[in-house]
Amino acid sequence: MDFTCSKYQELLQVLVSKGYVFKTVSEYPHDINQSTIYLRHDVDDLKMHSLAFARIQHKLGVKGTYYFRMVPESFDEKVILEIAQLGHEVGYHYEDMDFANGDADQAIKLFEKHLAQLRALVTVTSICMHGSPRSKFDNKDVWKKYDYKKYGIKIEPYFDIDFNQMFYLTDTGRCWDGFKYSVRDKIITNKIWPVYSNTNQIISAIHQNTFPSNAMFNFHPQRWTDDKSLWLAELFKQSIKNLIKKYFFVKK
Ligand SMILES: [Zn+2]
């Protein structure tokens, strides 16, 4: 079975065995000659799954970045503090344009408030937009009027990372090639990167040294589970979602 905690652990183990260095998003940019991995996690839902990921990483001696939303299924002081104590980075997964109904002036006020709430717990130098496919707003649009660098934020991956030099993979749709149908999770790259449809393909590419030397993985830990009924429920949900997305893409 794919998208289980054991498959996740296997993926990390092979990266570690090949000598990849693990960086947090705020540590970008890195020495391009050193094979480097960024483990980015969007804590959209089921925060305990993210905590499980953070513990697995800690056991393997690696670190990643976890972006928390302000909603109860994500924001949890205990979870945030434990993840930070395990040596990981915590960032803000902002959706303030959605909260403010597309009003940038309102959104920036909410952003300031939410950033302060998170900073009351941990140091925050990275933010990343949350893209809800059902929303008509793009949360990044607040930065057409305002500047996050003025808030001591170093990196917003969608703006600050050069994806011509960094391979980007996302588990959107609980597969590794669902980016084609993603409405919001779009990165800008001119490069032709490899396409993998499942985690086993990624693991064999790493084994065979054909996997790119610099990569950012974007995980949604709520999609990964060892619990069989949860796993099937997620499969069902994602199959429906992917069908709808494909339908609209064909229509466009
Ligand atoms: Zn998100």
Side-chain angles (χ1 to χ4, degrees):
M1 255 163 59
D2 204 350
F3 299 97
T4 58
C5 290
S6 28
K7 193 52 77 182
Y8 175 71
Q9 187 156 336
E10 200 185 321
L11 173 64
L12 290 186
Q13 271 161 339
V14 64
L15 287 165
V16 169
S17 75
K18 286 288 180 176
Y20 279 91
V21 165
F22 291 77
K23 298 266 188 200
T24 64
V25 175
S26 283
E27 288 175 313
Y28 180 86
H30 60 271
D31 173 8
I32 203 84
N33 299 312
Q34 169 70 62
S35 298
T36 301
I37 293 292
Y38 293 82
L39 302 169
R40 168 188 148 193
H41 310 79
D42 293 358
V43 188
D44 283 354
D45 197 358
L46 304 178
K47 57 208 170 193
M48 298 318 277
H49 288 216
S50 286
L51 184 55
F53 265 40
R55 286 174 177 160
I56 292 172
Q57 288 170 357
H58 183 72
K59 248 190 352 204
L60 296 174
V62 306
K63 60 186 175 183
T65 300
Y66 291 79
Y67 292 102
F68 285 88
R69 300 169 66 199
M70 284 295 139
V71 295
E73 54 270 35
S74 178
F75 192 90
D76 181 312
E77 286 193 19
K78 269 195 182 154
V79 171
I80 291 169
L81 288 173
E82 181 172 342
I83 288 182
Q85 272 156 15
L86 291 171
H88 306 298
E89 175 180 31
V90 169
Y92 176 32
H93 201 32
Y94 65 95
E95 52 188 316
D96 297 296
M97 282 295 266
D98 284 336
F99 292 147
N101 245 312
D103 178 341
D105 300 328
Q106 199 62 42
I108 198 69
K109 285 194 191 116
L110 290 170
F111 175 82
E112 286 172 7
K113 183 181 138 198
H114 294 151
L115 186 62
Q117 259 172 276
L118 200 53
R119 279 184 168 157
L121 303 173
V122 289
T123 306
V124 180
T125 53
S126 179
I127 57 170
C128 186
M129 71 102 194
H130 170 67
S132 164
R134 271 158 298 175
S135 168
K136 52 181 186 233
F137 304 109
D138 184 335
N139 285 307
K140 296 195 296 306
D141 283 351
V142 66
W143 311 125
K144 285 182 177 166
K145 188 161 179 187
Y146 296 97
D147 181 5
Y148 54 81
K149 302 262 173 183
K150 288 195 178 140
Y151 295 91
I153 299 299
K154 281 170 64 189
I155 307 282
E156 199 313 355
Y158 290 100
F159 293 100
D160 298 309
I161 292 179
D162 178 1
F163 289 107
N164 290 319
Q165 306 248 27
M166 173 110 69
F167 179 40
Y168 179 75
L169 300 96
T170 174
D171 64 0
T172 292
R174 201 164 72 173
C175 52
W176 292 107
D177 52 5
F179 56 89
K180 294 174 282 196
Y181 306 112
S182 176
V183 187
R184 299 266 179 238
D185 188 12
K186 292 256 180 260
I187 52 118
I188 299 160
T189 181
N190 308 314
K191 213 168 149 171
I192 309 290
W193 293 105
V195 176
Y196 306 108
S197 48
N198 55 56
T199 311
N200 280 339
Q201 284 179 7
I202 298 172
I203 291 171
S204 6
I206 301 164
H207 270 304
Q208 291 157 12
N209 301 318
T210 58
F211 190 77
S213 52
N214 294 284
M216 172 178 280
F217 284 91
N218 179 19
F219 295 99
H220 297 81
Q222 79 265 17
R223 302 199 175 116
W224 296 68
T225 178
D226 285 337
D227 180 304
K228 279 214 169 72
S229 54
L230 257 184
W231 191 92
L232 284 171
E234 181 66 20
L235 176 70
F236 182 70
K237 201 166 91 190
Q238 292 302 333
S239 310
I240 302 270
K241 266 199 197 166
N242 287 343
L243 259 177
I244 294 170
K245 284 184 196 164
K246 272 178 202 167
Y247 175 77
F248 282 110
F249 262 77
V250 173
K251 291 273 277 192
K252 266 188 204 162

